[in-house]
């Protein structure tokens, strides 16, 4: 009786293994580029905004003639926000889909793991979001990064703190993830350098819903500034619960990621008002195509976009530019073309350089946005600002107590 | 009996030549992962299925094995393969602690204690950055570019694990384990040292799970605490593999491992690209439905309830 089971079962597996491989033989007319993004799981919102932007850019590139007469095909795969899944996804892209290069990379943990596979397989990988420093400080020569490393995210925040808020004490909250931990460590160093006292630096568990215990601790310590490095749900909940506890520092500061997404404002509602965050991009920046991209995205998807979307959109254009310049589609030529990149995108100028411990890292300035009347407004540096920074803030009035 | 032997021989040959026939790295990868789950599922089954001590904390042993291998690289500068030797042993040391504390409890209380244990260890590893690199994780460079060596190592490990458990269950120990599951007080009054044999079962289980963890470090080359100490993806998955395949059957967890890995990947990739993309967003849902289905209709798992499946699916009369 068990015999039939085994035989039927095993042959089913074997047959399953055979079919798809032959069904999906490569269509020769396209140039395939693999994109790894979180489309399900906690980070799905970031993955979605990047996916829509990648697809928009791909259509535009193909409408403009594609690459050397071939169409650009982005194979967007779901990494579910987990490093080990990201690894298998990128292996599949390399061995089964035979992509010529890899892009995407949202969370730092996943990006780091994917970058390891790419380096080992000598597969050029253009990272557009994963920001932990070690991704470009590991000496990997096939890994290129479009966005600044997390240690530079707070650059504009730092100058704003120095010029306007002048805090004496700071509390730092962060998610226990590679991005959160590194972002918090870097900011702690920054504060020490500026002579601000860090009263508390505490990580919280990924997927947490009750932040009141730690927020009560913060309320008791009365810091001037609360700096948070969070993804999306936790960012909204932190602000909502701060409002409920009437926790009123001089300023709430977000370290990018969750604090700039439109969903942050939707979820947190009035609690998101006047919160400032580090950002890498804003639609009013004087880059060619920035405003265009924002308008097209808003018209098509009926919602605003922000820096993650712009990173993806620009990354697609960099990929197209690189593939057009590459002598052939083999890995060394693409890597060569990547390292020669020098172009302007909607996200800003792109040129990969090596400095400090970083290798193949694009350098960009950072900015500060503030949520004013439900809109994310660029407030720093002051000469580019769309609205003046609202400071000091009477939080209780903002929260309509 | 003879038919069974022939089936096993065929199965053995097929598994030996599989990677030589199917050359795609991608499918080889899936089977390697499934083989790793055979080891974890079978180990869990020894403790939970045969000995009746339902563990919700097998990630403790898996993660410990993986970190042992990882720390060999980061702290000692040695090859991660040393982890294959020591991963299982270090996991056994942890198992002694777990057993010492948790075996004072029975039934659901034991399950809850192991669940808490897994979370505690995960938090310690997350925060002990000087030893474990914390959330940065440990990334190593794989020893082999080809999947073949990994495949055969995983296959050997899976075979060893299933075979050892089979032998143990044939021996006197096996009867002790089952008697503990059936009625611990009765077993005690028959003169069985139940605490000792529960620990023996746990140690064997932890050893193989730790080996699987060390293999994972070598093969995947990247670990962080949320991956290898994960409650969802390791501890619960171990239970699902056991339950879906068939609790307290020798080959049940092996079947369960292939089913679970297959289902997961099929839905994640939206039927290998055949189905519309939204299917892949439902993969968590499908997992849930599968578990509900198995618990309601196949309480003994696919292998345990094979007779039932035959009756309903293949419409064969219940003559056997």
């Amino acid at each position: 009786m068990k015999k039939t089971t085994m035989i039927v079962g095993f042959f089913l597996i074997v047959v399953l293994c055979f079919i798809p491989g032959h069904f999906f033989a490569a269509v020769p007319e396209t140039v395939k580029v693999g994109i790894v993004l979180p489309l399900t799981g906690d980070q799905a919102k970031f993955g979605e905004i990047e996916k829509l932007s990648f697809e928009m850019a791909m259509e535009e590139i193909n409408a403009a003639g594609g690459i050397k007469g071939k169409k650009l095909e982005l194979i967007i795969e779901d990494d579910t926000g987990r490093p080990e899944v990201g690894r298998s996804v990128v292996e599949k892209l390399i061995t089964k889909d035979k992509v010529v290069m890899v892009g995407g990379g949202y969370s730092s943990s996943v990006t780091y793991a994917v970058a390891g596979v790419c380096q080992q397989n000598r597969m050029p990988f253009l990272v557009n979001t994963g920001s932990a420093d070690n991704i470009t400080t590991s000496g990997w020569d096939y890994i290129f990064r479009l966005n600044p490393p997390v240690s530079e995210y707070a650059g504009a925040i730092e100058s704003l703190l120095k010029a306007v808020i002048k805090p004496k004490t700071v509390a730092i909250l962060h998610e226990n993830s590679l991005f959160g931990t590194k972002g918090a460590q870097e900011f702690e160093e920054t504060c020490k350098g500026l002579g601000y006292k860090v009263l508390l630096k505490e990580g919280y568990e990924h997927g947490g819903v009750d932040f009141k215990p730690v927020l009560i601790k913060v309320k008791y310590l009365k810091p001037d500034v609360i700096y948070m490095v969070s993804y999306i749900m936790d960012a909204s909940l932190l602000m909502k619960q701060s409002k409920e506890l009437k926790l009123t520092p001089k300023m709430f500061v977000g370290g990018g990621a969750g604090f700039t997404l439109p969903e942050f404002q939707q979820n947190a509602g009035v609690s998101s008002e006047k919160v400032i965050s580090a950002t890498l991009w804003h639609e009013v920046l004087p880059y060619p195509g920035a405003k265009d991209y924002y308008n097209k995205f808003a018209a098509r998807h009926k919602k605003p976009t922000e820096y993650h979307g712009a990173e993806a959109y620009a990354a697609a254009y960099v990929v197209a530019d690189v593939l057009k310049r590459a002598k052939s589609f083999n890995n060394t030529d693409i890597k060569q073309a990547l390292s020669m990149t020098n172009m302007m995108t909607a996200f800003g100028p792109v040129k990969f350089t090596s400095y400090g411990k970083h290798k193949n890292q694009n350098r960009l300035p950072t900015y500060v946005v503030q949520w004013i009347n439900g809109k994310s407004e660029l407030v720093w540096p002051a000469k580019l600002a769309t609205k003046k920074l609202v400071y000091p803030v009477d939080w209780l009035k903002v929260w309509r107590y | 009996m003879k038919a069974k032997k022939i089936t096993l021989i065929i199965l053995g040959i097929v598994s030996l030549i599989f990677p030589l026939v199917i050359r795609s790295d991608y499918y080889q990868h899936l089977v390697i992962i499934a083989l790793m789950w055979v080891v974890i599922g079978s180990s869990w089954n020894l403790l939970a299925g045969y000995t009746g001590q339902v563990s919700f904390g097998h990630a403790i042993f898996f993660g410990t094995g993986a970190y042992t291998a990882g720390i060999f690289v980061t702290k000692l500068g040695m090859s991660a393969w040393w982890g294959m030797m020591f991963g299982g042993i270090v996991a056994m040391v942890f198992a002694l602690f777990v057993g010492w504390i948790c075996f004072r409890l029975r039934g659901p209380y034991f399950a809850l204690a192991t669940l808490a244990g897994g979370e505690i260890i995960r938090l310690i590893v997350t925060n002990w950055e000087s030893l474990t690199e914390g959330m940065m994780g440990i990334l190593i460079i794989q020893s082999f570019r080809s999947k073949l060596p990994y495949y055969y190592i995983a296959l050997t490990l899976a075979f060893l694990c299933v075979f050892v458990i089979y032998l143990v269950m044939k021996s006197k120990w096996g009867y002790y384990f089952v008697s503990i599951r059936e009625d611990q007080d009765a077993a005690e009054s028959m003169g069985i040292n139940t605490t000792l044999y529960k620990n023996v079962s746990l140690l064997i289980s932890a050893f193989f799970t730790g080996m699987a963890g060390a293999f994972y470090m070598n093969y995947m080359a990247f670990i962080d605490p949320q991956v290898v100490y994960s409650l969802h993806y390791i501890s619960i998955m171990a239970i699902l593999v056991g339950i879906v395949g068939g609790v307290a059957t020798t080959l049940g967890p092996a079947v369960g491992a292939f089913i679970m890995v297959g289902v997961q990947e099929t839905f994640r990739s939206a039927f290998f690209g055949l189905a519309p993309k939204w299917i892949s967003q439902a993969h968590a849902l499908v997992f849930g439905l599968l578990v509900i289905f198995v618990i309601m209709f196949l309480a003994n798992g696919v292998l345990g309830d094979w007779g039932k499946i035959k009756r309903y699916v293949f419409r064969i009369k219940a003559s056997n």
Side-chain angles (χ1 to χ4, degrees):
Chain A
M1 135 189 144
K2 280 188 179 164
K3 180 180 163 187
T4 26
T5 336
M6 301 271 173
I7 296 182
V8 170
F10 209 85
F11 278 93
L12 261 179
I13 293 170
V14 172
V15 167
L16 260 178
C17 295
F18 266 117
I19 298 172
H22 293 271
F23 252 105
F24 301 101
V27 184
E29 289 314 306
T30 62
V31 187
K32 289 183 182 179
V33 174
I35 307 289
V36 185
L37 289 175
L39 302 177
T40 57
D42 311 338
Q43 296 156 6
K45 278 289 159 213
F46 299 97
E48 184 191 297
I49 202 167
E50 297 204 355
K51 177 171 176 264
L52 296 175
S53 304
F54 265 120
E55 285 170 348
M56 221 168 85
M58 178 173 77
E59 281 165 29
E60 291 169 19
I61 291 161
N62 285 333
I67 290 151
K68 296 182 182 166
K70 292 183 180 177
K71 279 209 175 332
L72 174 66
E73 184 187 355
L74 299 178
I75 303 176
I76 301 178
E77 286 272 345
D78 181 13
D79 63 37
T80 72
R82 290 160 52 200
E84 80 279 24
V85 178
R87 256 193 100 94
S88 7
V89 162
V90 74
E91 282 191 344
K92 173 188 165 275
L93 287 169
I94 296 170
T95 61
K96 190 154 161 271
D97 297 320
K98 307 255 183 285
V99 296
V100 298
M101 69 180 281
V102 175
Y106 174 71
S107 85
S108 294
S109 313
V110 176
T111 309
Y112 184 49
V114 167
V117 180
C118 287
Q119 175 64 23
Q120 200 184 11
N121 286 286
R122 300 177 189 288
M123 170 61 60
F125 178 23
L126 175 64
V127 178
N128 61 33
T129 307
S131 58
D133 284 67
N134 55 352
I135 295 164
T136 45
T137 54
S138 299
W140 293 332
D141 55 341
Y142 278 84
I143 314 302
F144 295 76
R145 180 155 60 187
L146 184 73
N147 61 307
V150 67
S151 57
E152 293 168 22
Y153 270 36
I157 291 278
E158 192 183 325
S159 72
L160 185 146
L161 288 181
K162 263 196 293 198
V164 184
I165 299 177
K166 303 187 180 90
K168 290 197 178 61
T169 53
V170 177
I172 304 173
L173 302 176
H174 64 92
E175 199 206 42
N176 269 335
S177 62
L178 184 52
F179 171 71
T181 315
K182 290 290 148 199
Q185 274 172 11
E186 294 294 345
F187 193 73
E188 190 182 19
E189 290 300 311
T190 308
C191 288
K192 275 184 192 152
L194 294 170
Y196 307 155
K197 198 166 168 219
V198 177
L199 298 176
L200 164 131
K201 172 169 157 285
E202 195 158 305
Y204 56 82
E205 272 311 289
H206 148 99
V209 287
D210 183 12
F211 299 105
K212 284 192 178 158
V214 63
L215 288 173
I216 286 171
K217 224 187 283 175
V218 173
K219 184 173 172 158
Y220 174 76
L221 291 168
K222 294 195 180 69
D224 289 342
V225 161
I226 301 178
Y227 185 77
M228 294 163 280
V229 195
S230 313
Y231 287 120
I232 175 78
M233 279 317 293
D234 41 349
S236 318
L237 286 169
L238 277 167
M239 284 317 302
K240 273 185 169 167
Q241 293 175 6
S242 298
K243 176 187 163 214
E244 285 162 20
L245 292 172
K246 297 188 187 173
L247 171 60
T248 54
K250 282 186 181 167
M251 190 47 95
F252 288 100
V253 183
F259 289 91
T260 58
L261 274 195
E263 280 81 2
F264 168 63
Q265 197 273 332
Q266 284 165 20
N267 291 341
V270 71
S271 340
S272 70
E273 268 302 295
K274 309 295 184 274
V275 173
I276 65 172
S277 171
T279 191
L280 305 175
W281 182 82
H282 193 273
E283 64 271 16
V284 300
L285 291 176
Y287 297 136
K291 193 76 200 169
D292 257 9
Y293 157 68
Y294 182 85
N295 290 339
K296 269 186 286 186
F297 191 98
R300 190 148 154 199
H301 302 294
K302 308 277 173 281
K303 61 177 183 186
T305 179
E306 43 73 87
Y307 82 84
H308 297 96
E311 284 170 348
Y313 184 77
Y317 274 97
V318 174
V319 165
D321 177 69
V322 164
L323 292 178
K324 276 179 202 162
R325 282 185 291 108
K327 271 190 247 118
S328 76
F329 292 146
N330 78 27
N331 56 350
T332 43
D333 286 340
I334 292 178
K335 178 187 146 203
Q336 177 67 20
L338 261 167
S339 60
M340 304 291 285
T341 303
N342 188 1
M343 69 182 291
M344 190 45 125
T345 68
F347 186 65
V350 178
K351 188 178 180 189
F352 302 105
T353 54
S354 300
Y355 61 94
K357 284 181 177 172
H358 288 284
K359 204 177 171 84
N360 300 330
Q361 173 69 54
N362 190 26
R363 298 191 88 166
L364 284 170
T366 62
Y367 310 91
V368 178
V369 286
Q370 184 170 36
W371 289 94
I372 300 174
N373 301 326
K375 256 193 104 285
S376 136
E377 304 280 359
L378 190 69
V379 294
W380 198 264
K383 63 177 190 308
L384 291 168
T386 49
K387 282 250 167 86
K388 207 175 160 313
L389 175 76
V390 180
Y391 182 83
V393 183
D394 181 355
W395 295 102
L396 296 182
K397 204 170 149 202
V398 169
W399 291 335
R400 299 186 199 130
Y401 269 109
Chain B
M1 206 53 217
K2 207 177 169 196
K4 203 172 162 187
K5 258 185 193 155
I6 294 171
T7 317
L8 285 178
I9 291 168
I10 294 177
L11 201 67
I13 295 172
V14 171
S15 55
L16 276 177
I17 61 168
F18 166 83
L20 305 175
V21 178
I22 310 282
R23 311 289 316 197
S24 156
D25 278 6
Y26 173 59
Y27 293 109
Q28 289 181 4
H29 167 76
L30 289 183
V31 176
I32 292 170
I33 293 294
L35 286 170
M36 187 190 86
W37 277 106
V38 170
V39 177
I40 304 168
S42 301
S43 312
W44 178 84
N45 188 38
L46 177 70
L47 184 65
Y50 287 119
T51 323
Q53 310 299 314
V54 179
S55 154
F56 274 69
H58 258 54
I60 300 173
F61 314 123
F62 182 78
T64 304
Y67 265 96
T68 308
I71 287 167
F72 261 102
V73 179
T74 55
K75 292 286 173 261
L76 303 176
M78 290 156 80
S79 157
W81 292 106
W82 286 96
M84 287 291 280
M85 282 180 74
F86 291 99
I89 294 164
V90 177
M92 279 165 89
V93 174
F94 274 66
L96 278 176
F97 276 105
V98 171
W100 178 53
I101 298 165
C102 296
F103 278 137
R104 297 155 192 240
L105 303 164
R106 288 191 192 182
Y109 304 102
F110 172 78
L112 286 174
T114 53
L115 192 146
E119 290 296 283
I120 290 167
I121 302 226
R122 182 171 62 81
L123 288 173
I124 293 174
V125 172
T126 306
N127 290 303
W128 194 349
E129 288 192 3
S130 55
L131 181 71
T132 63
E133 314 285 331
M135 275 313 296
M136 203 169 111
I138 295 177
L139 187 120
I140 62 169
I141 297 299
Q142 284 169 316
S143 323
F144 310 108
R145 283 278 286 110
S146 156
K147 301 259 172 212
L148 278 183
Y150 294 107
Y151 177 86
Y152 287 110
I153 291 165
L155 186 68
T156 314
L157 193 58
F159 171 77
L160 259 178
C161 175
V162 173
F163 189 62
V164 166
I165 289 173
Y166 170 79
L167 286 184
V168 165
M169 290 315 296
K170 283 269 164 213
S171 74
K172 232 178 191 176
W173 285 5
Y175 290 96
Y176 293 161
F177 293 166
V178 172
S179 70
I180 292 171
R181 178 187 71 197
E182 293 301 320
D183 190 332
Q184 192 178 327
D185 297 320
E188 187 84 52
S189 63
M190 297 285 285
I192 296 169
N193 185 345
T194 54
T195 313
L196 174 69
Y197 285 103
K198 281 197 285 189
N199 273 309
V200 169
S201 173
L202 175 67
L203 285 177
I204 300 171
S205 184
F207 177 75
F208 281 111
T209 312
M211 292 273 278
F215 172 76
Y216 184 89
M217 174 80 251
N218 276 291
Y219 176 55
M220 294 299 275
F222 177 77
I223 55 169
D224 74 25
Q226 281 181 6
V227 173
V228 293
Y229 284 105
S230 164
L231 177 63
H232 296 65
Y233 299 113
I234 306 294
S235 293
I236 304 285
M237 181 81 166
I239 299 171
L240 293 183
V241 163
I243 287 179
V244 169
V247 173
T249 55
T250 317
L251 288 174
V255 174
F258 277 90
I259 294 177
M260 293 309 279
V261 171
V263 167
Q264 193 174 25
E265 186 59 22
T266 308
F267 279 89
R268 195 202 60 76
S269 63
F271 291 90
F272 300 96
L274 280 169
K277 269 284 176 190
W278 59 264
I279 292 269
S280 69
Q281 306 196 349
H283 77 262
L285 180 71
V286 173
F287 252 136
L289 291 176
L290 179 74
V291 172
I292 292 173
F293 177 82
V294 167
I295 289 173
M296 283 182 71
F297 299 107
L298 303 168
N300 298 318
V302 172
L303 220 59
D305 273 334
W306 183 244
K308 222 171 173 178
I309 298 178
K310 271 214 302 211
R311 271 206 305 286
Y312 286 106
V313 182
F314 299 103
R315 308 220 169 264
I316 294 168
K317 277 203 180 132
S319 54
N320 48 354

